[in-house]
Structure formats: C-alpha cells, structure tokens
Amino acid sequence: MGRIHQETGEDPLVTAALAGDETAFAAVVERHRRELHVHCYRMLGSFEEAEDVVQETLLRAWRAKDGFEGSTLFRAWLYKIATNACIDNSRRRARSATSFAELPWLQPYPDRLLDQVAPGEAEPDAVVVTRETIELAFLAVIQLLPPRQRAVLILRDVLEWSAAETAAALDMTVASTNSALQRARVTVRDRRPVRPAPKPPSETERELLRRLIEAHERADAGAALALMREDIRITMPPLPLCFDGLAMIAPLLQQGLTEPGEWRLLPTEANRMPAAVSYLRVPGGTEFEAFKIDVLRIEDGAVAEITTFGTALFPVFGFPAVLPVPC
C-alpha cells in the first residue's frame, strides 16, 4: 500500500465530520491541507493555483461526504479529489508547453512551508518532501506532460501508490495506468538532465549564496560571475526568456547591478534549493522595495542555474514588501 494509505482505526473526528459536523470537518481536513497543497503544486507548478484548487478540493469533499466509504482511507480520498480537481483545472486552462521557457505559471515554493509536511506524532506516515520531487527542474519537466500522465507519475513515483490504487483514483484501468506511467517516465528521462541525485541545501551551497549576495549588494559583477558555471542558465517566469552562458549573461549582469539603484538581498530557501529575495532602492528612493526572488541550482561548487520570479510570493516567503534604509 502507498504510504498515504497507512491510516488505521476509526477516527471519531472523521466520523463526526462525515456525519455533517462542519467544525469537525474543518479540523480533520486541516490536518492534510499542507500536504494537499504540495500535491496540487506538483500537479500545477503554481503556488497560487494550488491554493485555489485546495479550496475547491475541500468544497468537493464536503459535498461528496455522504459517498465516502471507510474512515481509514480518508486521506487517500482527499488526494483522489485533489488530483482530479487539478486535472480539471489543467484542462480548463488549456495550457500547453514544449519547453521550460514556456511555463509562465511556474512559481517557487518556500521551504518553511514544505517543512510543515514532515512526519510528526500526529501524522507519522506523512510523505517527506524531498528535493528530487520538488525541485524546479522536475516540476518544469512534468508540466510538459498531459495532465493525466502527470497525475499517474506523481501518484506512482512520488506518493508510491500501487497501480491498482492509482487506477481507482483516476477511473482508469490498471493497464492504461501502467501505459501512462511508462510514457511519462520516458518523457521525464529524455527531458530532464542526468545529474547526481539532488540533496538539501548544504553549508557549502549556503556559503556560495552568501558570497553571491555580497557581490550583488556591492555591484561587483566580476565577483558574481566568478561564482557561476560557464554554461549557467537564467530563466524568468512568466517572461519567455532564457539566457545561456556567461558570455550572454555578463553584460546583462553588469548593467543590472549598477544602473537601477542600490540592492539589498536576504537569503532563503525554496524547493529545497538556496534562494534569495532582492530589494531595490531606486536613486532618490526612501526605502528598498521588493523586486524579485532568485532560486539557485548549484552544481560542482558553482551556480549552474538561476530561476528568477517576481514579487507576488514575498508574503508567502515571510518577507515584507519594503525594507527601511539603515540609519
């Protein structure tokens, strides 16, 4: 059985919730809200859309509570509803993409919220959110899959559901589920670069981030470039832009560090990767205003990739919209 199916015993709170107790229902679904949000985020690639779909999931669950069978599978039942809500969302959007630069909806996920999914006394069988299953490269690749293939891949390879469980959740046959999984795995293997298994941010990576922040704040483009790989790639969702290699990036970085104004950067972590939030004070400005979020992939001791996002998720990351100018 998949890890999320290991709930055992009758839960009085679940029983009360299914009997129509709104307070009990709110309490029991709250146990699973964060992990459902992470699941929807994997499916959709967007933090904000995942929030909307989780709300839709809970509404669907409340309306369908009379059809629920067996309190021991309540979590799995919620996952089934959430997965199908994500598929419906993807189809309504009618979005398609053939490359990473065509993913304007992609957003980062703060590690401080991913940590809420870690197994604990209340939920010992919660699925650990590993870097391999949440890093931006993985999310970008699976966004290229058709929604149902994406769902099968996540349920089978991330949540470790069986073929029978996955087929039941998606109203598919076991044979069609296995076929979809095989096709999805081929796409991911062909489109995702082969590299060592990713690990959580190390002290070495955090130190490199610190040095990059210092170089950025003192507008030292040379020092910043020295921390990057020759084949570094920078993308900027939702803009369909992709910059490859130091030769292309160097003049842009030099201009970006010196012309706009004065920078302040703060370290953070997103998608189990080192990241930084940036604030800019324009000439004559009285405060530093939120400007961007950079998520870094570090390989062989150098920055191999930077994905730059806008300011929409600053509150989610726990950062204010402005910083005062030091006295």
Side-chain angles (χ1 to χ4, degrees):
M1 297 286 286
R3 277 186 283 182
I4 73 164
H5 285 213
Q6 294 177 5
E7 296 169 290
T8 58
E10 292 293 331
D11 186 329
L13 195 61
V14 172
T15 301
L18 296 173
D21 186 328
E22 293 188 32
T23 301
F25 189 86
V28 74
V29 298
E30 190 61 32
R31 298 174 180 173
H32 310 296
R33 180 183 291 272
R34 180 55 57 195
E35 62 179 301
L36 287 173
H37 190 270
V38 172
H39 175 60
C40 292
Y41 171 72
R42 284 195 183 100
M43 282 288 300
L44 301 171
S46 166
F47 186 98
E48 293 173 314
E49 287 188 23
E51 193 72 36
D52 293 339
V53 173
V54 168
Q55 290 299 113
E56 182 179 346
T57 295
L58 301 185
L59 180 59
R60 289 188 186 189
W62 173 255
R63 291 173 175 171
K65 62 185 182 301
D66 293 341
F68 175 73
E69 298 177 359
S71 64
T72 57
L73 301 180
F74 187 77
R75 176 188 275 159
W77 181 65
L78 289 177
Y79 266 85
K80 174 180 178 179
I81 295 173
T83 302
N84 284 285
C86 287
I87 291 173
D88 292 343
N89 176 276
S90 296
R91 287 172 173 167
R92 286 197 301 268
R93 297 284 184 177
R95 300 180 306 194
S96 62
T98 58
S99 72
F100 301 159
E102 299 175 359
L103 302 172
W105 61 88
L106 188 67
Q107 292 181 314
Y109 204 111
D111 279 17
R112 73 188 192 98
L113 298 184
L114 292 176
D115 292 340
Q116 294 179 5
V117 187
E121 292 184 5
E123 298 292 340
D125 54 342
V127 180
V128 176
V129 182
T130 62
R131 180 167 173 177
E132 184 176 11
T133 66
I134 202 70
E135 70 170 351
L136 292 172
F138 174 71
L139 293 173
V141 169
I142 65 174
Q143 293 303 304
L144 306 182
L145 298 171
R148 195 169 290 273
Q149 278 190 34
R150 192 185 320 143
V152 170
L153 181 78
I154 293 171
L155 293 177
R156 291 295 313 277
D157 287 357
V158 176
L159 299 181
E160 300 181 358
W161 287 30
S162 69
E165 292 164 341
T166 301
L170 300 175
D171 295 323
M172 299 170 64
T173 65
V174 170
S176 62
T177 297
N178 288 335
S179 177
L181 177 63
Q182 186 175 30
R183 293 196 302 274
R185 284 173 172 171
V186 168
T187 299
V188 171
R189 184 188 65 221
D190 290 346
R191 300 299 297 270
R192 190 179 188 187
V194 177
R195 55 177 183 259
K199 299 178 181 179
S202 65
E203 287 305 316
T204 300
E205 289 182 330
R206 293 189 180 99
E207 172 61 18
L208 192 151
L209 174 65
R210 184 189 65 78
R211 292 165 60 195
L212 187 64
I213 286 175
E214 289 180 350
H216 199 118
E217 290 187 337
R218 66 175 185 264
D220 189 341
L225 291 168
L227 301 174
M228 301 176 185
R229 285 171 56 107
E230 190 72 29
D231 59 351
I232 184 173
R233 165 170 289 191
I234 297 179
T235 53
M236 302 178 178
L239 300 177
L241 301 175
C242 183
F243 303 97
D244 286 308
L246 286 180
M248 178 181 289
I249 291 168
L252 299 174
L253 184 64
Q254 179 67 49
Q255 181 181 19
L257 291 187
T258 57
E259 292 187 5
E262 184 180 1
W263 293 96
R264 287 290 180 271
L265 279 70
L266 298 173
T268 186
E269 292 179 359
N271 299 78
R272 302 304 189 201
M273 305 165 77
V277 296
S278 297
Y279 293 83
L280 176 66
R281 181 169 72 130
V282 298
T286 59
E287 55 191 7
F288 291 90
E289 298 183 0
F291 191 84
K292 63 188 174 76
I293 300 173
D294 290 318
V295 182
L296 280 59
R297 180 172 65 82
I298 295 173
E299 189 174 329
D300 299 327
V303 181
E305 188 170 5
I306 300 175
T307 309
T308 299
F309 300 95
T311 62
L313 295 185
F314 264 61
V316 175
F317 275 79
F319 292 98
V322 298
L323 293 178
V325 176
C327 298

